[in-house]
Amino acid sequence: MNKYYITTPIYYPSANFHIGHCYCTIVADAIARYKRMKGFDVFFQTGTDEHGQKIQKKAEEVGKTPKQYVDEIVADAQDLWKTLNISYDNFIRTTDKKHIECVQKIFKKLYDQGDIYKGEYKGLYCTPCESFWTESQLVDGKCPDCGRDVYEVSEEAYFFKLSKYQDRLVKYYDEHPEFIEPISRKNEMLNNFIKPGLEDLCVSRTSFDWGIPVTFDENHVVYVWLDALTNYISSLGYLSDDDSLMKKYWPADIHIVGKEIVRFHTIIWPIILMALDLELPTKVFGHGWLIVNGGKISKSLGNYKDPREYIDSYGVDAVRYFALREVPFGSDGNFSEESLIARINGDLANILGNLVQRTISMGHKYFDGKIENRNIEDELSGNFIDEINKLDSLVSEKMEKLEINLALEEIFNLLRASNKYIDETTPWILAKNEDNRDKLETVLYNLLESIRVSALLLRPFLPDTSKAIISQLNTQSEELSYIGTNSYNLNNPEILFKRIDVK
Ligand code: ME8
């Protein structure tokens, strides 16, 4: 069985999560579910990035220890992922013993082999973003990410020799054109960061202590990226007594990350792996941001609602659908409640909900819910069956390219074609003439097959809705193509998505 290791970033538990975090996690979940459906042995990992000065400060502000503080937020995050039906196989916390020990061993190994050395750090630091900047990166003298003040800091620190691996990295990019996607992000890395020359990376700090201690120099804690990025292998037991998961799943097939952290995943991470003599991930995909009122949704900007409010109002699958359908994966996209509602009304209620409701109701009205194929052939039905049979490969083509919104569009194209098939075959007119009974039953049968195949292919994207449709169809059949020999004994129709009245 082919394996597939997929990861999201590990999130900072510095406040509650917002719809932007849900976006990435929903997409990763849909890909993981799709791969499982296609027979892959999937390992899907998400988690939390819990160390650092910012978290230490926040905890102090609310009178808690950092661990108490993160424990509460992590529990809340796990609850959110459960609500969103996120099917992760592993949730890693950087405060896990397994992770801590792995980071410490890696730090020592890199130090022993001369890739980490002691020096002095001088730099401009943005505390909310936990980022160091050079003078030239500042925008109007402020942090280019959040626009706030930066402070000059100077302290003893350990450094990791990124520069030593620069040429190998460029060579790797050249030989692996699929490594960074979308391609524009690769050019950005080369032109903005690599060609100007890589500076060695600060990997320890002494000015705070909420971090992983450096075992051979106790004043230091491991600083940010060496700790965070290592999550992708510490969870698999790298350098531990049991590295069976490492052998099975590494290298990762895809790291899904937001565009602002592509840099860390395609420069620092590959170099850490090269230094450890490990294989590099097959792909790093940098997605865009969900934007609200022209700006990134962000905890430090405070412009967000708890995603549970949207879920409570509109349902989990409506939120999942929006995240997967609205924005081409890779680009930025606007999030607003109006556009969420437009998707629910336009696609989910009108196209999908209506089709299922109409078809199942007609099945009950004309055949008491019991429908078999009477094989009455005509050109219209033949073409329709061809479309049903094409759907699986169309969806798979799009998913291979991570064009998730287009994969969904293919499914909705078939649902639209099914509604059109109803309009063109006019079952209510066929029902008026007893001679057309077999024809009517064949039409309904074809529609049920179309709904069945669509519902099965919707499963990775909208798991609850898919299940509800399959339960209304009352079928066990798992084939992703038209079958001429099913027989249906339908359950009662139930409304899948209510139209939202926008007042
Ligand atoms: O960066 N739209 O954590 P984080 C889409 N701990 N994605 C968004 C978003 C938005 N509005 N806001 C945030 C970190 N994200 C590190 C990662 S990985 C080894 C360490 C995405 O909690 C963001 O792009 O700040 C990033 O990929 C992810 O949420 C985590 O952000």
Side-chain angles (χ1 to χ4, degrees):
M1 196 194 268
N2 282 333
K3 65 91 188 172
Y4 192 78
Y5 180 24
I6 175 170
T7 66
T8 72
I10 48 171
Y11 301 92
Y12 290 126
S14 47
N16 291 335
F17 285 5
H18 59 67
I19 194 85
H21 298 120
C22 297
Y23 170 68
C24 171
T25 316
I26 291 168
V27 173
D29 180 67
I31 298 171
R33 285 174 181 268
Y34 185 78
K35 287 286 178 184
R36 284 191 202 109
M37 183 168 92
K38 289 290 172 180
F40 284 76
D41 173 356
V42 172
F43 194 76
F44 169 27
Q45 174 163 296
T46 189
T48 38
D49 187 359
E50 304 182 14
H51 295 122
Q53 189 171 20
K54 190 163 124 193
I55 286 165
Q56 185 168 355
K57 274 193 185 158
K58 287 236 173 172
E60 277 163 15
E61 276 163 30
V62 292
K64 290 182 180 155
T65 66
K67 186 66 167 64
Q68 283 169 335
Y69 177 76
V70 293
D71 278 351
E72 283 171 24
I73 298 174
V74 169
D76 188 61
Q78 289 175 336
D79 174 71
L80 175 61
W81 295 155
K82 195 165 169 224
T83 309
L84 274 169
N85 269 326
I86 304 302
S87 62
Y88 58 76
D89 298 291
N90 190 43
F91 190 99
I92 180 152
R93 301 182 55 178
T94 55
T95 49
D96 290 343
K97 185 163 172 273
K98 187 175 174 180
H99 175 79
I100 292 172
E101 287 175 359
C102 180
V103 171
Q104 287 176 327
K105 285 181 191 164
I106 289 176
F107 200 99
K108 178 81 168 50
K109 185 172 157 69
L110 295 178
Y111 179 75
D112 288 345
Q113 72 190 39
D115 280 330
I116 284 180
Y117 62 93
K118 201 180 219 175
E120 178 170 301
Y121 190 80
K122 281 203 190 84
L124 298 160
Y125 187 67
C126 172
T127 311
C129 294
E130 292 195 359
S131 297
F132 281 105
W133 303 101
T134 58
E135 198 76 51
S136 63
Q137 287 171 320
L138 302 183
V139 176
D140 298 330
K142 312 249 179 198
C143 169
D145 266 2
C146 75
R148 287 186 242 217
D149 288 338
V150 293
Y151 301 92
E152 183 150 321
V153 290
S154 153
E155 63 187 49
E156 179 188 278
Y158 284 92
F159 289 85
F160 175 48
K161 283 188 186 163
L162 287 185
S163 48
K164 174 175 156 190
Y165 293 89
Q166 171 158 342
D167 294 343
R168 258 178 83 180
L169 184 66
V170 173
K171 185 158 176 275
Y172 189 85
Y173 280 15
D174 284 344
E175 288 169 359
H176 299 83
E178 73 299 336
F179 177 55
I180 308 178
E181 278 188 31
I183 191 84
S184 55
R185 310 233 188 266
K186 171 174 160 181
N187 299 332
E188 194 186 322
M189 293 307 120
L190 279 167
N191 297 332
N192 297 2
F193 300 108
I194 301 178
K195 285 192 185 144
L198 291 178
E199 283 172 26
D200 290 347
L201 178 78
C202 172
V203 287
S204 82
R205 297 294 303 272
T206 53
S207 53
F208 60 91
D209 54 15
W210 179 235
I212 299 177
V214 173
T215 45
F216 53 89
D217 194 346
E218 282 179 0
N219 287 335
H220 290 254
V221 291
V222 179
Y223 177 63
V224 187
W225 289 102
L226 193 69
D227 174 359
L229 291 161
T230 298
N231 89 84
Y232 301 128
I233 52 175
S234 66
S235 60
L236 302 181
Y238 177 63
L239 295 182
S240 79
D241 294 341
D242 178 2
D243 64 353
S244 50
L245 289 175
M246 187 74 189
K247 291 201 175 87
K248 187 167 175 194
Y249 290 110
W250 191 257
D253 294 271
I254 186 165
H255 293 310
I256 294 179
V257 301
K259 61 181 180 180
E260 83 285 20
I261 57 171
V262 167
R263 174 181 150 206
F264 307 108
H265 283 81
T266 58
I267 298 175
I268 299 175
W269 183 224
I271 291 182
I272 294 174
L273 291 166
M274 283 174 183
L276 294 172
D277 209 11
L278 289 172
E279 276 183 83
L280 269 50
T282 309
K283 191 186 296 303
V284 174
F285 191 100
H287 65 75
W289 291 336
L290 285 188
I291 306 283
V292 167
N293 299 330
K296 181 188 171 196
I297 310 166
S298 134
K299 286 176 291 204
S300 46
L301 298 175
N303 59 350
Y304 70 96
K305 245 191 193 182
D306 187 320
R308 274 166 279 229
E309 289 186 39
Y310 303 115
I311 300 170
D312 289 347
S313 306
Y314 306 112
V316 179
D317 278 357
V319 172
R320 286 181 65 107
Y321 183 73
F322 182 89
L324 296 164
R325 176 69 186 85
E326 183 79 3
V327 188
F329 193 46
S331 313
D332 288 346
N334 277 305
F335 174 81
S336 70
E337 212 151 337
E338 293 75 49
S339 43
L340 173 62
I341 292 172
R343 282 287 171 196
I344 296 170
N345 286 347
D347 297 0
L348 298 174
N350 269 6
I351 300 173
L352 172 62
N354 211 6
L355 171 70
V356 175
Q357 165 92 16
R358 282 213 281 179
T359 306
I360 295 192
S361 301
M362 288 191 288
H364 281 285
K365 182 167 172 194
Y366 301 134
F367 297 98
D368 290 329
K370 295 186 180 52
I371 288 143
E372 285 184 24
N373 189 6
R374 300 292 164 200
N375 290 305
I376 305 294
E377 288 168 22
D378 59 33
E379 197 185 335
L380 197 66
S381 301
N383 291 341
F384 182 50
I385 291 169
D386 286 346
E387 285 193 57
I388 300 173
N389 282 330
K390 274 188 219 146
L391 186 63
D392 181 26
S393 67
L394 288 172
V395 170
S396 150
E397 249 171 50
K398 301 295 186 296
M399 289 303 282
E400 277 306 308
K401 292 190 270 179
L402 298 173
E403 293 172 341
I404 294 153
N405 63 323
L406 299 184
L408 274 172
E409 193 164 289
E410 293 296 352
I411 301 174
F412 275 76
N413 283 343
L414 181 63
L415 298 171
R416 268 189 214 98
S418 308
N419 279 317
K420 189 159 163 248
Y421 181 69
I422 299 182
D423 297 341
E424 289 173 347
T425 53
T426 58
W428 53 93
I429 295 177
L430 293 175
K432 287 185 180 153
N433 186 340
E434 199 49 36
D435 293 346
N436 288 331
R437 209 143 163 85
D438 281 356
K439 168 84 183 166
L440 174 63
E441 193 167 356
T442 305
V443 164
L444 290 181
Y445 180 86
N446 293 343
L447 284 165
L448 291 169
E449 278 295 292
S450 167
I451 293 171
R452 183 183 65 77
V453 171
S454 306
L456 290 175
L457 284 165
L458 275 176
R459 194 184 270 166
F461 310 98
L462 311 179
D464 286 351
T465 305
S466 167
K467 199 168 160 202
I469 298 172
I470 296 296
S471 145
Q472 292 184 37
L473 295 178
N474 191 19
T475 173
Q476 311 287 324
S477 171
E478 291 275 328
E479 269 78 2
L480 297 175
S481 59
Y482 181 92
I483 300 175
T485 53
N486 273 330
S487 63
Y488 284 94
N489 185 4
L490 302 171
N491 283 325
N492 285 332
E494 272 165 39
I495 291 176
L496 295 170
F497 293 94
K498 286 202 190 80
R499 270 191 70 83
I500 315 289
D501 196 5
V502 199
K503 286 245 171 64

PDB file of all heavy atoms in Angstrom, residues 453-477:
ATOM      1  N   VAL A 453     -22.883   8.468  -6.897  1.00  0.00           N
ATOM      2  CA  VAL A 453     -21.462   8.669  -7.254  1.00  0.00           C
ATOM      3  C   VAL A 453     -20.981  10.049  -6.763  1.00  0.00           C
ATOM      4  O   VAL A 453     -19.897  10.179  -6.208  1.00  0.00           O
ATOM      5  CB  VAL A 453     -21.255   8.503  -8.781  1.00  0.00           C
ATOM      6  CG1 VAL A 453     -19.850   8.911  -9.189  1.00  0.00           C
ATOM      7  CG2 VAL A 453     -21.549   7.058  -9.197  1.00  0.00           C
ATOM      8  N   SER A 454     -21.815  11.058  -6.943  1.00  0.00           N
ATOM      9  CA  SER A 454     -21.431  12.409  -6.475  1.00  0.00           C
ATOM     10  C   SER A 454     -21.246  12.409  -4.963  1.00  0.00           C
ATOM     11  O   SER A 454     -20.283  12.998  -4.445  1.00  0.00           O
ATOM     12  CB  SER A 454     -22.505  13.441  -6.821  1.00  0.00           C
ATOM     13  OG  SER A 454     -22.792  13.414  -8.183  1.00  0.00           O
ATOM     14  N   ALA A 455     -22.174  11.774  -4.254  1.00  0.00           N
ATOM     15  CA  ALA A 455     -22.093  11.778  -2.779  1.00  0.00           C
ATOM     16  C   ALA A 455     -20.831  11.063  -2.324  1.00  0.00           C
ATOM     17  O   ALA A 455     -20.153  11.512  -1.395  1.00  0.00           O
ATOM     18  CB  ALA A 455     -23.322  11.122  -2.181  1.00  0.00           C
ATOM     19  N   LEU A 456     -20.487   9.964  -2.985  1.00  0.00           N
ATOM     20  CA  LEU A 456     -19.263   9.248  -2.587  1.00  0.00           C
ATOM     21  C   LEU A 456     -18.032  10.107  -2.833  1.00  0.00           C
ATOM     22  O   LEU A 456     -17.120  10.161  -2.013  1.00  0.00           O
ATOM     23  CB  LEU A 456     -19.135   7.924  -3.343  1.00  0.00           C
ATOM     24  CG  LEU A 456     -20.145   6.841  -2.949  1.00  0.00           C
ATOM     25  CD1 LEU A 456     -19.991   5.623  -3.870  1.00  0.00           C
ATOM     26  CD2 LEU A 456     -19.982   6.424  -1.494  1.00  0.00           C
ATOM     27  N   LEU A 457     -18.038  10.805  -3.964  1.00  0.00           N
ATOM     28  CA  LEU A 457     -16.871  11.655  -4.261  1.00  0.00           C
ATOM     29  C   LEU A 457     -16.849  12.926  -3.405  1.00  0.00           C
ATOM     30  O   LEU A 457     -15.808  13.550  -3.248  1.00  0.00           O
ATOM     31  CB  LEU A 457     -16.808  11.974  -5.747  1.00  0.00           C
ATOM     32  CG  LEU A 457     -16.311  10.783  -6.586  1.00  0.00           C
ATOM     33  CD1 LEU A 457     -16.584  10.985  -8.061  1.00  0.00           C
ATOM     34  CD2 LEU A 457     -14.820  10.536  -6.361  1.00  0.00           C
ATOM     35  N   LEU A 458     -17.992  13.285  -2.844  1.00  0.00           N
ATOM     36  CA  LEU A 458     -18.024  14.442  -1.932  1.00  0.00           C
ATOM     37  C   LEU A 458     -17.519  14.090  -0.536  1.00  0.00           C
ATOM     38  O   LEU A 458     -17.243  14.974   0.275  1.00  0.00           O
ATOM     39  CB  LEU A 458     -19.455  14.974  -1.790  1.00  0.00           C
ATOM     40  CG  LEU A 458     -19.950  15.967  -2.830  1.00  0.00           C
ATOM     41  CD1 LEU A 458     -21.424  16.295  -2.551  1.00  0.00           C
ATOM     42  CD2 LEU A 458     -19.128  17.257  -2.829  1.00  0.00           C
ATOM     43  N   ARG A 459     -17.397  12.807  -0.260  1.00  0.00           N
ATOM     44  CA  ARG A 459     -17.089  12.352   1.103  1.00  0.00           C
ATOM     45  C   ARG A 459     -15.846  13.020   1.713  1.00  0.00           C
ATOM     46  O   ARG A 459     -15.887  13.454   2.861  1.00  0.00           O
ATOM     47  CB  ARG A 459     -16.941  10.830   1.103  1.00  0.00           C
ATOM     48  CG  ARG A 459     -16.966  10.223   2.476  1.00  0.00           C
ATOM     49  CD  ARG A 459     -16.714   8.732   2.404  1.00  0.00           C
ATOM     50  NE  ARG A 459     -17.924   7.956   2.250  1.00  0.00           N
ATOM     51  CZ  ARG A 459     -17.922   6.666   1.903  1.00  0.00           C
ATOM     52  NH1 ARG A 459     -16.787   6.041   1.630  1.00  0.00           N
ATOM     53  NH2 ARG A 459     -19.051   6.004   1.800  1.00  0.00           N
ATOM     54  N   PRO A 460     -14.733  13.140   0.984  1.00  0.00           N
ATOM     55  CA  PRO A 460     -13.566  13.770   1.606  1.00  0.00           C
ATOM     56  C   PRO A 460     -13.790  15.251   1.934  1.00  0.00           C
ATOM     57  O   PRO A 460     -13.164  15.778   2.839  1.00  0.00           O
ATOM     58  CB  PRO A 460     -12.478  13.667   0.531  1.00  0.00           C
ATOM     59  CG  PRO A 460     -12.977  12.707  -0.480  1.00  0.00           C
ATOM     60  CD  PRO A 460     -14.466  12.688  -0.387  1.00  0.00           C
ATOM     61  N   PHE A 461     -14.676  15.872   1.184  1.00  0.00           N
ATOM     62  CA  PHE A 461     -14.856  17.316   1.329  1.00  0.00           C
ATOM     63  C   PHE A 461     -15.951  17.627   2.368  1.00  0.00           C
ATOM     64  O   PHE A 461     -15.770  18.465   3.234  1.00  0.00           O
ATOM     65  CB  PHE A 461     -15.229  17.935  -0.025  1.00  0.00           C
ATOM     66  CG  PHE A 461     -14.292  17.513  -1.128  1.00  0.00           C
ATOM     67  CD1 PHE A 461     -14.621  16.479  -2.006  1.00  0.00           C
ATOM     68  CD2 PHE A 461     -13.058  18.118  -1.250  1.00  0.00           C
ATOM     69  CE1 PHE A 461     -13.746  16.078  -3.008  1.00  0.00           C
ATOM     70  CE2 PHE A 461     -12.171  17.730  -2.241  1.00  0.00           C
ATOM     71  CZ  PHE A 461     -12.510  16.697  -3.128  1.00  0.00           C
ATOM     72  N   LEU A 462     -17.095  16.963   2.203  1.00  0.00           N
ATOM     73  CA  LEU A 462     -18.248  17.201   3.067  1.00  0.00           C
ATOM     74  C   LEU A 462     -18.681  15.862   3.682  1.00  0.00           C
ATOM     75  O   LEU A 462     -19.677  15.267   3.261  1.00  0.00           O
ATOM     76  CB  LEU A 462     -19.412  17.785   2.254  1.00  0.00           C
ATOM     77  CG  LEU A 462     -19.101  18.966   1.326  1.00  0.00           C
ATOM     78  CD1 LEU A 462     -20.348  19.416   0.585  1.00  0.00           C
ATOM     79  CD2 LEU A 462     -18.540  20.141   2.126  1.00  0.00           C
ATOM     80  N   PRO A 463     -17.924  15.385   4.680  1.00  0.00           N
ATOM     81  CA  PRO A 463     -18.182  14.027   5.171  1.00  0.00           C
ATOM     82  C   PRO A 463     -19.603  13.821   5.720  1.00  0.00           C
ATOM     83  O   PRO A 463     -20.224  12.792   5.437  1.00  0.00           O
ATOM     84  CB  PRO A 463     -17.128  13.810   6.255  1.00  0.00           C
ATOM     85  CG  PRO A 463     -16.365  15.067   6.394  1.00  0.00           C
ATOM     86  CD  PRO A 463     -16.739  16.003   5.302  1.00  0.00           C
ATOM     87  N   ASP A 464     -20.112  14.792   6.477  1.00  0.00           N
ATOM     88  CA  ASP A 464     -21.447  14.596   7.069  1.00  0.00           C
ATOM     89  C   ASP A 464     -22.536  14.597   5.996  1.00  0.00           C
ATOM     90  O   ASP A 464     -23.476  13.806   6.043  1.00  0.00           O
ATOM     91  CB  ASP A 464     -21.767  15.716   8.080  1.00  0.00           C
ATOM     92  CG  ASP A 464     -20.995  15.546   9.368  1.00  0.00           C
ATOM     93  OD1 ASP A 464     -20.346  14.484   9.542  1.00  0.00           O
ATOM     94  OD2 ASP A 464     -21.027  16.474  10.197  1.00  0.00           O
ATOM     95  N   THR A 465     -22.404  15.513   5.046  1.00  0.00           N
ATOM     96  CA  THR A 465     -23.413  15.621   3.992  1.00  0.00           C
ATOM     97  C   THR A 465     -23.411  14.360   3.140  1.00  0.00           C
ATOM     98  O   THR A 465     -24.470  13.818   2.787  1.00  0.00           O
ATOM     99  CB  THR A 465     -23.115  16.851   3.102  1.00  0.00           C
ATOM    100  OG1 THR A 465     -23.043  17.982   3.955  1.00  0.00           O
ATOM    101  CG2 THR A 465     -24.171  17.057   2.043  1.00  0.00           C
ATOM    102  N   SER A 466     -22.218  13.878   2.827  1.00  0.00           N
ATOM    103  CA  SER A 466     -22.100  12.674   2.032  1.00  0.00           C
ATOM    104  C   SER A 466     -22.809  11.522   2.736  1.00  0.00           C
ATOM    105  O   SER A 466     -23.589  10.784   2.135  1.00  0.00           O
ATOM    106  CB  SER A 466     -20.607  12.367   1.838  1.00  0.00           C
ATOM    107  OG  SER A 466     -20.439  11.076   1.346  1.00  0.00           O
ATOM    108  N   LYS A 467     -22.553  11.436   4.026  1.00  0.00           N
ATOM    109  CA  LYS A 467     -23.168  10.354   4.816  1.00  0.00           C
ATOM    110  C   LYS A 467     -24.698  10.486   4.818  1.00  0.00           C
ATOM    111  O   LYS A 467     -25.419   9.493   4.678  1.00  0.00           O
ATOM    112  CB  LYS A 467     -22.632  10.462   6.248  1.00  0.00           C
ATOM    113  CG  LYS A 467     -22.785   9.225   7.054  1.00  0.00           C
ATOM    114  CD  LYS A 467     -21.949   9.375   8.330  1.00  0.00           C
ATOM    115  CE  LYS A 467     -22.447   8.390   9.371  1.00  0.00           C
ATOM    116  NZ  LYS A 467     -22.096   8.783  10.724  1.00  0.00           N
ATOM    117  N   ALA A 468     -25.173  11.723   4.970  1.00  0.00           N
ATOM    118  CA  ALA A 468     -26.629  11.946   5.007  1.00  0.00           C
ATOM    119  C   ALA A 468     -27.259  11.556   3.672  1.00  0.00           C
ATOM    120  O   ALA A 468     -28.342  10.951   3.636  1.00  0.00           O
ATOM    121  CB  ALA A 468     -26.917  13.413   5.329  1.00  0.00           C
ATOM    122  N   ILE A 469     -26.581  11.869   2.572  1.00  0.00           N
ATOM    123  CA  ILE A 469     -27.145  11.537   1.256  1.00  0.00           C
ATOM    124  C   ILE A 469     -27.165  10.016   1.076  1.00  0.00           C
ATOM    125  O   ILE A 469     -28.174   9.431   0.668  1.00  0.00           O
ATOM    126  CB  ILE A 469     -26.337  12.194   0.110  1.00  0.00           C
ATOM    127  CG1 ILE A 469     -26.379  13.719   0.235  1.00  0.00           C
ATOM    128  CG2 ILE A 469     -26.874  11.762  -1.257  1.00  0.00           C
ATOM    129  CD1 ILE A 469     -25.459  14.459  -0.727  1.00  0.00           C
ATOM    130  N   ILE A 470     -26.053   9.387   1.401  1.00  0.00           N
ATOM    131  CA  ILE A 470     -25.970   7.928   1.242  1.00  0.00           C
ATOM    132  C   ILE A 470     -27.039   7.259   2.117  1.00  0.00           C
ATOM    133  O   ILE A 470     -27.672   6.283   1.707  1.00  0.00           O
ATOM    134  CB  ILE A 470     -24.542   7.414   1.597  1.00  0.00           C
ATOM    135  CG1 ILE A 470     -23.505   7.979   0.619  1.00  0.00           C
ATOM    136  CG2 ILE A 470     -24.490   5.894   1.647  1.00  0.00           C
ATOM    137  CD1 ILE A 470     -23.641   7.556  -0.825  1.00  0.00           C
ATOM    138  N   SER A 471     -27.284   7.820   3.279  1.00  0.00           N
ATOM    139  CA  SER A 471     -28.301   7.228   4.147  1.00  0.00           C
ATOM    140  C   SER A 471     -29.713   7.434   3.560  1.00  0.00           C
ATOM    141  O   SER A 471     -30.550   6.535   3.628  1.00  0.00           O
ATOM    142  CB  SER A 471     -28.136   7.816   5.544  1.00  0.00           C
ATOM    143  OG  SER A 471     -29.355   7.972   6.172  1.00  0.00           O
ATOM    144  N   GLN A 472     -29.961   8.578   2.937  1.00  0.00           N
ATOM    145  CA  GLN A 472     -31.267   8.762   2.277  1.00  0.00           C
ATOM    146  C   GLN A 472     -31.413   7.801   1.097  1.00  0.00           C
ATOM    147  O   GLN A 472     -32.489   7.273   0.834  1.00  0.00           O
ATOM    148  CB  GLN A 472     -31.437  10.207   1.797  1.00  0.00           C
ATOM    149  CG  GLN A 472     -31.560  11.196   2.955  1.00  0.00           C
ATOM    150  CD  GLN A 472     -31.821  12.617   2.486  1.00  0.00           C
ATOM    151  OE1 GLN A 472     -32.536  12.851   1.516  1.00  0.00           O
ATOM    152  NE2 GLN A 472     -31.259  13.583   3.180  1.00  0.00           N
ATOM    153  N   LEU A 473     -30.296   7.582   0.391  1.00  0.00           N
ATOM    154  CA  LEU A 473     -30.340   6.646  -0.748  1.00  0.00           C
ATOM    155  C   LEU A 473     -30.439   5.203  -0.253  1.00  0.00           C
ATOM    156  O   LEU A 473     -30.874   4.314  -0.993  1.00  0.00           O
ATOM    157  CB  LEU A 473     -29.083   6.763  -1.616  1.00  0.00           C
ATOM    158  CG  LEU A 473     -28.827   8.061  -2.363  1.00  0.00           C
ATOM    159  CD1 LEU A 473     -27.502   7.980  -3.120  1.00  0.00           C
ATOM    160  CD2 LEU A 473     -29.962   8.387  -3.329  1.00  0.00           C
ATOM    161  N   ASN A 474     -29.982   4.990   0.979  1.00  0.00           N
ATOM    162  CA  ASN A 474     -30.026   3.662   1.586  1.00  0.00           C
ATOM    163  C   ASN A 474     -29.281   2.641   0.715  1.00  0.00           C
ATOM    164  O   ASN A 474     -29.823   1.598   0.349  1.00  0.00           O
ATOM    165  CB  ASN A 474     -31.498   3.268   1.786  1.00  0.00           C
ATOM    166  CG  ASN A 474     -31.644   2.030   2.648  1.00  0.00           C
ATOM    167  OD1 ASN A 474     -30.716   1.663   3.373  1.00  0.00           O
ATOM    168  ND2 ASN A 474     -32.792   1.382   2.553  1.00  0.00           N
ATOM    169  N   THR A 475     -28.023   2.977   0.413  1.00  0.00           N
ATOM    170  CA  THR A 475     -27.255   2.079  -0.453  1.00  0.00           C
ATOM    171  C   THR A 475     -25.910   1.741   0.193  1.00  0.00           C
ATOM    172  O   THR A 475     -25.360   2.537   0.956  1.00  0.00           O
ATOM    173  CB  THR A 475     -26.999   2.732  -1.831  1.00  0.00           C
ATOM    174  OG1 THR A 475     -26.122   1.901  -2.579  1.00  0.00           O
ATOM    175  CG2 THR A 475     -26.358   4.108  -1.721  1.00  0.00           C
ATOM    176  N   GLN A 476     -25.415   0.570  -0.097  1.00  0.00           N
ATOM    177  CA  GLN A 476     -24.089   0.152   0.408  1.00  0.00           C
ATOM    178  C   GLN A 476     -23.051   0.236  -0.711  1.00  0.00           C
ATOM    179  O   GLN A 476     -21.869   0.010  -0.477  1.00  0.00           O
ATOM    180  CB  GLN A 476     -24.110  -1.329   0.856  1.00  0.00           C
ATOM    181  CG  GLN A 476     -25.244  -1.721   1.760  1.00  0.00           C
ATOM    182  CD  GLN A 476     -25.035  -1.159   3.151  1.00  0.00           C
ATOM    183  OE1 GLN A 476     -23.905  -1.097   3.616  1.00  0.00           O
ATOM    184  NE2 GLN A 476     -26.114  -0.704   3.781  1.00  0.00           N
ATOM    185  N   SER A 477     -23.522   0.506  -1.908  1.00  0.00           N
ATOM    186  CA  SER A 477     -22.653   0.396  -3.069  1.00  0.00           C
ATOM    187  C   SER A 477     -21.565   1.479  -3.059  1.00  0.00           C
ATOM    188  O   SER A 477     -21.854   2.661  -2.966  1.00  0.00           O
ATOM    189  CB  SER A 477     -23.541   0.519  -4.306  1.00  0.00           C
ATOM    190  OG  SER A 477     -22.766   0.622  -5.435  1.00  0.00           O
TER     191      SER A 477
END
